[in-house]
Amino acid sequence: MDIVAEKEIKIGYHPDYATINNINTFGYEGYGYELFEEISKCTGRKYTFVSGTSQELVQMQKTGELELNGPYEKTAEREQESAFTSHPIGSENVILCAPLDAKIAFNELEKIDGKRVATIQDFYTGEFDTFLDANNLKVEYVDCNELELMYGLENNEFDLILASTMFKMPNMKVVLDLGSHPLYFAASKENQFIIDEIDNALDQIYKKDLKFTSKLYQKYFSGEEYPKKGLSKEQEQLFQEKNVFTVGFSPDAAPVQYLNKDGKPAGICIDIMNIIAREANITVNYVPLKPITEDIQQTVDINLSYLSEYIDKDHFYATSSYLELPLSYVGKSNYHVTENIRLAVPNFAFIDYSKLTKHGNFEIIVDLPSITERFLALNNGTVDYIIASNVVTDIVLQK
């Protein structure tokens, strides 16, 4: 079949996986289904779905019975055989889950040792085995399908479930998190043009709505039937002693964290902190912080404003990265580079901007602390370039 001329692309999916679900004989639903409905508007192609086990789908892709497969984690080994989309279509965390009433806290490793662990077709066992070996732990695997997972705990067939955050598991809590992995769709090398079509379509989708896939993820994977992380032993003890926390944030770093027109904290980081507070059943009081300097001594329990590489690990505890904001140089499209470039930068005393002089003649301007002031200066020509996050830049360009 000449796929270039044909309009239909067949996509393999696993029926126990939540991205594409066959709800009845008349249609589908799910994160992946809605995503490809939107992609179809850009490519003009029809996408149909073929179910099977992981092994069956890989073989079908090799024999040409289907053109796309996924979602998968991108690995060096898989990239030797398949072409992957550049854009991730989402992400998942590999997790170990226990019943809500189980007497096991998050990361309580000694209570994992020797347990019977249910898996679906050996999903994630390789990564889990590496973790077990590193911590001198052993478990017994019990292979199940999705239906067996629902009744296996009641029938005492296993103790824990190894799965991902894309699996529905009501009345369960996460007791171990092996980390987050971006997911991609894959095609055979000769079908690279299909991957290019999808990447181009995703570019168009994100230009219209930066949060398109985030909204889909929220729609399908945020319900109560999806397991949430349990508390560690230390957290359980802390929350028994303290339930109200002060949280510092930057008041002028929109859309990440800022004071809105009503003088209330808002932004991505604030939304995330509010979710954490709700899930942990704690109260947070927000405190706007001044621009970060080396000698700042403001008393808060939690600070949302730090970049990971500038945290003093000797005096502070830090979470894993919860938000990634790539930075770019931003300038007008009709600007011609001169010998002396006026560059407006965030006023962070812990960043050594003198290193930029190695890459050209920069006049570093640090007296424009807010992103709004820097964009205004760029617009009226008092600076040539600014440094801004890609998220902020995309929002400004859209407006």
Side-chain angles (χ1 to χ4, degrees):
M1 178 178 70
D2 185 356
I3 302 173
V4 178
E6 293 287 337
K7 290 290 185 182
E8 183 175 313
I9 299 292
K10 294 187 289 298
I11 303 173
Y13 76 96
H14 194 287
D16 287 337
Y17 208 49
T19 52
I20 299 170
N21 297 317
N22 189 349
I23 54 174
N24 52 49
T25 56
F26 300 104
Y28 296 85
E29 69 172 11
Y31 177 97
Y33 174 72
E34 282 201 38
L35 179 61
F36 275 99
E37 284 285 283
E38 195 68 21
I39 290 172
S40 178
K41 296 175 185 177
C42 302
T43 63
R45 291 190 183 276
K46 178 182 179 181
Y47 298 95
T48 57
F49 306 97
V50 180
S51 68
T53 65
S54 298
Q55 294 85 352
E56 289 170 343
L57 296 175
V58 169
Q59 185 59 32
M60 291 170 72
Q61 183 174 320
K62 288 180 178 179
T63 59
E65 297 174 71
L66 55 85
E67 286 76 48
L68 273 177
N69 214 341
Y72 288 134
E73 181 186 350
K74 189 187 293 187
T75 65
E77 182 180 357
R78 287 173 178 166
E79 284 189 285
Q80 290 180 358
E81 296 185 353
S82 301
F84 284 81
T85 53
S86 298
H87 285 291
I89 58 88
S91 64
E92 68 176 356
N93 284 52
V94 179
I95 53 177
L96 188 67
C97 297
L100 284 175
D101 59 356
K103 302 298 182 183
I104 176 173
F106 184 76
N107 266 357
E108 198 170 8
L109 301 187
E110 63 271 19
K111 291 191 177 180
I112 296 173
D113 196 28
K115 290 293 190 289
R116 298 166 300 167
V117 176
T119 67
I120 297 179
Q121 292 192 357
D122 294 329
F123 281 4
Y124 318 115
T125 54
E127 187 169 354
F128 190 42
D129 284 339
T130 301
F131 175 86
L132 294 173
D133 290 342
N135 290 277
N136 197 27
L137 302 172
K138 293 186 181 298
V139 300
E140 175 189 344
Y141 287 121
V142 180
D143 191 37
C144 301
N145 58 36
E146 192 172 28
L147 184 62
E148 290 168 337
L149 283 183
M150 295 173 60
Y151 301 104
L153 283 170
E154 296 177 10
N155 298 332
N156 197 33
E157 295 173 8
F158 46 81
D159 309 298
L160 305 170
I161 297 174
L162 181 65
S164 90
T165 44
M166 285 187 168
F167 283 84
K168 292 182 179 181
M169 288 183 287
N171 302 315
M172 301 289 287
K173 64 181 178 181
V174 179
V175 297
L176 186 66
D177 189 332
L178 297 178
S180 178
H181 306 285
L183 298 173
Y184 306 82
F185 275 91
S188 58
K189 293 281 191 178
E190 58 267 26
N191 287 334
Q192 175 67 49
F193 73 94
I194 297 176
I195 298 297
D196 294 339
E197 281 185 349
I198 293 172
D199 277 330
N200 290 334
L202 288 171
D203 282 336
Q204 296 177 49
I205 290 168
Y206 291 140
K207 284 179 181 177
K208 294 178 183 176
D209 186 354
L210 281 170
K211 298 182 178 180
F212 179 81
T213 51
S214 297
K215 291 174 183 176
L216 271 188
Y217 202 94
Q218 182 76 10
K219 176 179 179 179
Y220 284 102
F221 302 122
S222 64
E224 291 300 317
E225 63 269 35
Y226 291 93
K228 306 297 188 295
K229 185 178 292 187
L231 297 178
S232 67
K233 294 172 68 175
E234 294 80 7
Q235 289 169 332
E236 289 175 349
Q237 181 178 351
L238 171 64
F239 292 149
Q240 288 173 1
E241 300 171 354
K242 182 181 177 75
N243 193 254
V244 180
F245 296 82
T246 56
V247 178
F249 71 101
S250 296
D252 58 0
V256 182
Q257 45 190 296
Y258 61 100
L259 284 172
N260 64 20
K261 61 182 180 181
D262 298 321
K264 295 181 178 180
I268 301 170
C269 297
I270 303 297
D271 290 345
I272 293 173
M273 189 66 234
N274 287 339
I275 293 171
I276 293 171
R278 185 174 68 246
E279 295 295 332
N281 196 28
I282 60 174
T283 300
V284 295
N285 295 322
Y286 290 103
V287 178
L289 300 180
K290 300 172 185 176
I292 301 171
T293 60
E294 290 176 341
D295 59 352
I296 191 167
Q297 295 293 332
Q298 301 184 63
T299 304
V300 293
D301 298 309
I302 303 168
N303 192 336
L304 301 181
S305 306
Y306 278 106
L307 304 177
S308 60
E309 58 265 41
Y310 301 111
I311 295 173
D312 181 357
K313 302 290 198 310
D314 292 331
H315 296 92
F316 297 98
Y317 292 110
T319 66
S320 300
S321 173
Y322 72 94
L323 187 64
E324 294 183 0
L325 293 171
L327 298 176
S328 298
Y329 291 109
V330 182
K332 291 185 176 181
S333 58
N334 60 353
Y335 176 74
H336 298 290
V337 176
T338 63
E339 290 185 1
N340 296 302
I341 300 172
R342 298 165 299 173
L343 176 67
V345 299
N347 187 14
F348 293 160
F350 47 71
I351 299 179
D352 182 8
Y353 288 117
S354 65
K355 295 177 182 179
L356 290 172
T357 57
K358 296 179 181 179
H359 306 286
N361 279 331
F362 288 100
E363 177 190 346
I364 306 300
I365 299 170
V366 296
D367 57 355
L368 300 171
S370 74
I371 187 63
T372 302
E373 289 175 299
R374 293 198 293 278
F375 266 105
L376 287 174
L378 179 64
N379 192 52
N380 64 30
T382 55
V383 301
D384 303 312
Y385 283 95
I386 67 173
I387 289 180
S389 77
N390 292 0
V391 173
V392 173
T393 304
D394 286 343
I395 291 173
V396 171
L397 291 177
Q398 285 183 18
K399 291 182 177 181

